Amino acid sequence: MPTLILVRHGRSTANTEGLLAGWTPGVALDERGAAQAASLPGRLEGVPISEVVASPLQRCQETIQPLLDARPGLPAHSEERIGECHYGDWSGRKLAELGDEPLMEVVQAHPSAAAFPGGESMRAMQTRAAEAVREWNARVERDHGADAVYLMCSHGDIIKSLVADALGLHLDLFQRISVEPCSITVIRYTRLRPFLLRLGDTGDFASLVPREEAAGGDAPVGGGAGAP
């Protein structure tokens, strides 16, 4: 079965403003995010990518554009099932404000029981994304062979949930996984089990440098803004 390269979109304006974007329209890459996207073709140079599949949201479409420009003719597709979690009434709100919501504790400690008001549950998010990957695995293998490599550009919570699925981790453990903006995660699928080959690889270790304000114990909903 194929090897899947998962790319989280580059840093967005919502990331830097501390907003939970969800499906809010018009959320673009910021200046740093655009630079991250521009570096993607070089980081993936030599990797024989057969197809590109992306969330329809603007920040993902902008992230893959430099790669598509560098590889004319590379087939590209939009896939709603790997779009961001539908956060419903939480969409567009400040993450700092959401920290006081009782539901946030459930999102952090028991996400399999979390459902966003006016949105979807985290279980539903993982299910649709995993189903999309399995269908694309079959399609890519049919069209390009079992050794094919393809790329999906998606969002932090989606990628974390797919990593948990690949590792056989319960969704309640997925908040222990971290993927920064424009990081690369690679999963090789086989008939019996997936193998995680890379996780959140940015080639940049700036996020490991201690910050003036110590990071809290909660995972950033939506994926966070990455290194300062």
Side-chain angles (χ1 to χ4, degrees):
M1 296 179 70
T3 295
L4 171 60
I5 299 172
L6 288 162
V7 177
R8 185 184 167 201
H9 62 78
R11 197 175 74 176
S12 72
T13 53
N15 292 145
T16 49
E17 293 170 7
L19 300 176
L20 186 62
W23 284 71
T24 305
V27 177
L29 298 182
D30 67 7
E31 185 176 353
R32 179 171 179 176
Q36 291 170 332
S39 73
L40 201 56
R43 293 167 66 195
L44 294 171
E45 186 176 4
V47 180
I49 299 170
S50 59
E51 307 261 355
V52 170
V53 185
S55 158
L57 293 171
Q58 180 178 340
R59 52 198 182 274
C60 286
Q61 296 292 322
E62 290 179 350
T63 298
I64 63 168
Q65 193 57 54
L67 179 64
L68 298 178
D69 291 343
R71 301 194 187 195
L74 178 61
H77 314 272
S78 182
E79 172 59 80
E80 288 200 2
R81 290 176 295 175
I82 62 167
E84 181 62 285
C85 185
H86 291 276
Y87 296 116
D89 297 343
W90 280 25
S91 299
R93 291 182 60 187
K94 287 276 190 181
L95 287 164
E97 298 172 0
L98 293 171
D100 295 328
E101 295 279 354
L103 178 60
M104 182 61 83
E105 187 176 12
V106 182
V107 169
Q108 292 294 326
H110 191 19
S112 65
F116 295 98
E120 69 179 334
S121 69
M122 302 199 89
R123 295 190 316 279
M125 173 199 74
Q126 183 186 44
T127 297
R128 63 172 164 86
E131 287 178 349
V133 166
R134 282 162 174 76
E135 289 180 20
W136 277 99
N137 282 349
R139 175 173 172 174
V140 170
E141 181 174 4
R142 180 197 68 202
D143 295 344
H144 303 282
D147 294 329
V149 178
Y150 74 109
L151 182 148
M152 280 186 167
C153 183
S154 188
H155 307 265
D157 283 348
I158 295 288
I159 294 173
K160 288 162 56 177
S161 75
L162 290 172
V163 170
D165 174 76
L167 292 176
L169 293 177
H170 196 283
L171 184 61
D172 285 343
L173 301 179
F174 100 124
Q175 296 288 29
R176 302 183 184 193
I177 299 166
S178 176
V179 289
E180 292 200 1
C182 220
S183 63
I184 292 175
T185 295
V186 183
I187 302 170
R188 177 175 293 148
Y189 288 87
T190 74
R191 187 173 66 87
L192 297 179
R193 67 179 71 87
F195 293 90
L196 181 64
L197 305 183
R198 297 285 190 281
L199 176 60
D201 188 346
T202 63
D204 180 357
F205 295 98
S207 63
L208 302 180
V209 177
R211 304 186 188 185
E212 291 184 8
E213 295 183 5
D218 287 344
V221 180

